[in-house]
Amino acid sequence: MTQPQNVFKYCPRCGSKHFNFEGSRSFLCSDCGFHYFINSSAAVAGLIENEKGELLLTVRAFNPNKGMLDLPGGFVDPMESAEAALKREIKEELNLEVTEMQYLTSFPNEYVFSNFSVYTTDIAFICKVKGWNNMHIQDDISDIVFVTKQNIDWNNISAGSIKRIIEAFWNL
Ligand SMILES: [Zn+2]
């Protein structure tokens, strides 16, 4: 019941109740003609390994999925590039500076926040960082862990898209 067609009740332009879901991915107000499309939001995720080849995962500090494991990253701001967003998020969450990044893959996700489904396209990059000495756990994460193919807890990964990104990274 968190999908837009179950949440949006009024036209955001004129306030009319006749804000009709068009059956696929748009709403049309039959009073003022406002046509609103549900598009996917861009989000980014970073794959960072330590010197031992272990993968960095973050622990989510807040809901949704508080306490579950995630990749560093987040939503792309309006008018921001995916690369700039990921550099910003890694700085905000970990105080690490990205020196190299390479696109890997992307997967869709449905992210429920505030009882509302946000459809995302999670875009993954393999990242290298400039040293670990200044790393600081902050912002919307509460901890980090380093994992391997052997010890990763797949049941504790926060989203299907993140699981699929890690599987693609490890060629599983
Ligand atoms: Zn309207």
Side-chain angles (χ1 to χ4, degrees):
M1 290 308 280
T2 56
Q3 287 80 13
Q5 61 268 37
N6 299 316
V7 176
F8 290 172
K9 291 189 171 16
Y10 301 97
C11 172
R13 177 187 274 163
C14 75
S16 165
K17 277 198 282 192
H18 304 118
F19 190 54
N20 305 310
F21 188 57
E22 294 287 279
S24 55
R25 58 187 197 93
S26 75
F27 291 81
L28 183 61
C29 176
S30 59
D31 283 333
C32 77
F34 183 56
H35 200 180
Y36 178 77
F37 281 83
I38 310 295
N39 292 309
S40 183
S41 295
V44 286
L47 296 145
I48 310 171
E49 288 181 323
N50 64 12
E51 318 77 50
K52 291 187 263 182
E54 299 165 326
L55 179 66
L56 186 152
L57 297 181
T58 58
V59 179
R60 298 177 63 88
F62 304 110
N63 277 320
N65 301 324
K66 180 180 172 180
M68 293 186 82
L69 300 172
D70 204 347
L71 287 167
F75 282 100
V76 179
D77 285 343
M79 301 309 291
E80 185 181 43
S81 72
E83 289 87 348
L86 187 52
K87 284 180 185 173
R88 174 181 55 71
E89 288 284 348
I90 288 172
K91 178 75 179 170
E92 285 173 4
E93 294 179 347
L94 300 163
N95 196 39
L96 292 176
E97 192 182 326
V98 175
T99 54
E100 287 176 47
M101 57 197 314
Q102 187 188 358
Y103 173 75
L104 177 69
T105 186
S106 72
F107 288 104
N109 188 35
E110 183 180 340
Y111 182 87
V112 179
F113 181 76
S114 203
N115 291 314
F116 180 68
S117 292
V118 177
Y119 301 105
T120 70
T121 304
D122 295 348
I123 308 165
F125 293 86
I126 300 167
C127 298
K128 294 219 184 319
V129 296
K130 185 177 162 187
W132 297 92
N133 291 338
N134 295 326
M135 183 164 71
H136 191 260
I137 310 303
Q138 53 199 20
D139 196 40
D140 53 2
I141 66 170
S142 61
D143 202 359
I144 62 152
V145 288
F146 285 99
V147 300
T148 64
K149 284 180 206 182
Q150 285 71 39
N151 69 15
I152 189 169
D153 178 4
W154 291 109
N155 294 323
N156 200 24
I157 304 292
S158 65
S161 55
I162 298 299
K163 249 184 237 182
R164 294 167 78 185
I165 287 168
I166 297 169
E167 286 169 351
F169 179 58
W170 283 339
N171 285 311
L172 297 177

